[in-house]
Amino acid sequence: MRTCRRTVVGAAAVALLAAPAGVAGAQEDHGGIETVATGLSGPRQVSAYEDDRLLVAESDSGEVASVDPATGEVTTLVSGLQFVQGVDHRGGQLYVAVGTAEPEPGAAPPPEPPAVGQGGPGLVVTDAEGIVVETIDLLAYELANNPDGQTQFVDGAPVDALSNPFAVLAQRGRVLVADAGANAVLSVDRESGEVSTFFVPPVVDDVPGCEGAPNNPGTTGCDSVPTGVAEGPEGRLYVSTLGAEVAGAARVYVLDRRGEVVDVIEDLTSATGVAVDDDGTVYVSDLLEGAPVGEGPPAPDFDPATVGEVVRIDGEDRSTAQVTMPTGLVVSDGELYGAAWSIAAFLMLDHPGEVVRIGSDAFAE
C-alpha cells in the first residue's frame, strides 16, 4: 500500500496556528529546529529509508509512513496495525515493532492474547508494498524465557506477561528489537524467525529514587526499559533505556556485535531514542525534560512545547537542543532528524506529531 496523504511543507505553519497558545513560537524560538513534516499520529521511531526518505512509525494510527524531508510529502506504506512503535527496513522488507496497550493495574492477562499487530506485541514483517508476510510473537518468547528474570504475581499466581517492542534495527542476518516490556533487547533471525536474547540491561539501583525502590517480588531498583537501538562506527550498538523516568537513571549502553557492554553513558533521564553519527557523536531523546512530573498540576502559563530535549554527547562534552516531546532519532545523509510532539494525543493536546530536522546550531551547552 502506498497512499500519499499530504504535502506539508508550507502547511506546517497552518497546523501550528491551530495549536494551543505559545506552541508555535516554541519551535521558532529555538534556532536550528526545522519542521519537515507534520500531521503525523503519534510518531515514534524514525529510520533512514531509500531515496533519501525517512520511515516513521505512527503509534496512534497504526501506520508506517515514508517522509520526504525535502518536500514534506508523507506517504502511507503500511496500515491496519495497532500500536506501531518502531520500524526499519532491509532487503526490500519492512520490520515493524508493534506494542500493546498498558494493562490495567492488577489485571490478569487475557486467556488468549490478541494476534500480533492487532493488539498483540511482536514484530511484523511486510514486503515493500506493505503486505504482511510474517509475524513474530515476542510475548510468547517472553513467557517461555523471561529474559530479565523478574516475575509478577496476579491473585497469588506468578505471571511474567509483559512485552512491548519499541524500536528495531535491521541488520544483515538479524533484527534487534528493544522490548520495553520485557526489559531486554531481543534478536530475531531474519531467515528463520527464531528469537533469542541479545542483551538485558541491569536494574538501576545506584541513583536517588531507585536505590531500594520496590519492584517485582525479589527485585528492587528501577527497571532499565530499552527504548532505542542504533548502530554506530565499528559496528558498535547503542541501546537507550528509560530508567523508570527517574532523574539520572536513564542510560545508553554501548555494546559490541555480540551484545557485550563496552561502555555506559549515564546521568540521563527518560531516554526514548538514540542515534549515532559517523564520528561517534551520540544523540539521545529526553522525552520529559521540563515536564512538571510529580509536582502537582502545571501552572496556568505552562507551555507544553517546552517539554523535552535532545542531548548531544561528544566524549565528555554535552549540549542540548529543545525539541518538544521527542522519541525516535536518526542521522540520515549527515542530518539529524527526530520525532517531535510524539505523545501529544496521549496528553490530550491538540497538536499533530512532527518530524523535525535538528541542526548543529540548535545545541547549547
Side-chain angles (χ1 to χ4, degrees):
M1 172 185 293
R2 292 179 180 271
T3 305
C4 184
R5 282 187 273 161
R6 49 209 169 247
T7 301
V8 294
V9 166
V14 176
L16 290 173
L17 287 175
V23 168
Q27 288 288 358
E28 295 169 358
D29 290 344
H30 293 79
I33 308 293
E34 179 187 358
T35 299
V36 298
T38 188
L40 300 166
S41 299
R44 299 292 195 267
Q45 186 177 7
V46 182
S47 300
Y49 193 40
E50 56 194 19
D51 299 326
D52 297 325
R53 296 172 72 93
L54 304 172
L55 286 172
V56 184
E58 295 185 79
S59 182
D60 297 345
S61 64
E63 297 176 328
V64 173
S66 167
V67 169
D68 186 340
T71 66
E73 181 181 81
V74 180
T75 304
T76 299
L77 302 180
V78 182
S79 60
L81 300 176
Q82 294 182 25
F83 310 115
V84 173
Q85 302 189 117
V87 63
D88 201 2
H89 81 106
R90 197 173 186 97
Q93 293 184 316
L94 300 179
Y95 295 89
V96 185
V98 291
T100 186
E102 187 74 17
E104 294 294 330
E112 294 188 9
V116 172
Q118 303 303 318
L123 185 69
V124 175
V125 186
T126 81
D127 63 18
E129 298 302 317
I131 305 301
V132 176
V133 297
E134 186 179 10
T135 60
I136 310 295
D137 188 343
L138 297 183
L139 178 58
Y141 182 83
E142 161 71 11
L143 293 172
N145 296 275
N146 190 18
D148 68 352
Q150 296 188 40
T151 302
Q152 301 177 350
F153 286 83
V154 176
D155 296 330
V159 176
D160 187 64
L162 291 181
S163 175
N164 192 26
F166 200 78
V168 295
L169 173 65
Q171 298 186 296
R172 179 184 300 175
R174 67 188 179 188
V175 180
L176 297 179
V177 183
D179 192 326
N183 295 324
V185 178
L186 306 177
S187 177
V188 179
D189 187 282
R190 288 184 54 215
E191 183 173 347
S192 68
E194 181 180 358
V195 184
S196 58
T197 302
F198 180 73
F199 173 63
V200 180
V203 171
V204 177
D205 59 4
D206 58 353
V207 299
C210 292
E211 186 175 2
N215 202 317
N216 288 319
T219 308
T220 59
C222 295
D223 286 338
S224 287
V225 187
T227 56
V229 55
E231 185 172 355
E234 301 178 359
R236 289 189 171 184
L237 300 163
Y238 295 73
V239 176
S240 60
T241 63
L242 189 65
E245 301 172 5
V246 172
R251 305 277 191 269
V252 172
Y253 292 90
V254 186
L255 315 174
D256 64 18
R257 293 180 179 88
R258 299 181 302 276
E260 299 295 326
V261 177
V262 297
D263 195 11
V264 182
I265 301 172
E266 300 183 340
D267 196 24
L268 298 164
T269 302
S270 61
T272 50
V274 62
V276 189
D277 67 18
D278 291 341
D279 297 324
T281 301
V282 180
Y283 301 89
V284 185
S285 292
D286 187 333
L287 178 67
L288 296 176
E289 173 62 29
V293 177
E295 301 175 4
D301 60 348
F302 173 70
D303 183 355
T306 62
V307 173
E309 68 181 17
V310 172
V311 184
R312 180 175 63 187
I313 303 166
D314 184 5
E316 298 297 321
D317 297 327
R318 295 193 184 193
S319 53
T320 60
Q322 197 283 307
V323 177
T324 304
M325 305 173 203
T327 47
L329 296 171
V330 67
V331 176
S332 178
D333 197 26
E335 302 275 8
L336 176 64
Y337 297 93
W341 292 95
S342 60
I343 60 169
F346 177 79
L347 298 177
M348 295 182 290
L349 297 172
D350 184 20
H351 196 291
E354 298 178 349
V355 171
V356 297
R357 182 185 291 110
I358 309 166
S360 59
D361 54 344
F363 290 90
E365 300 293 335

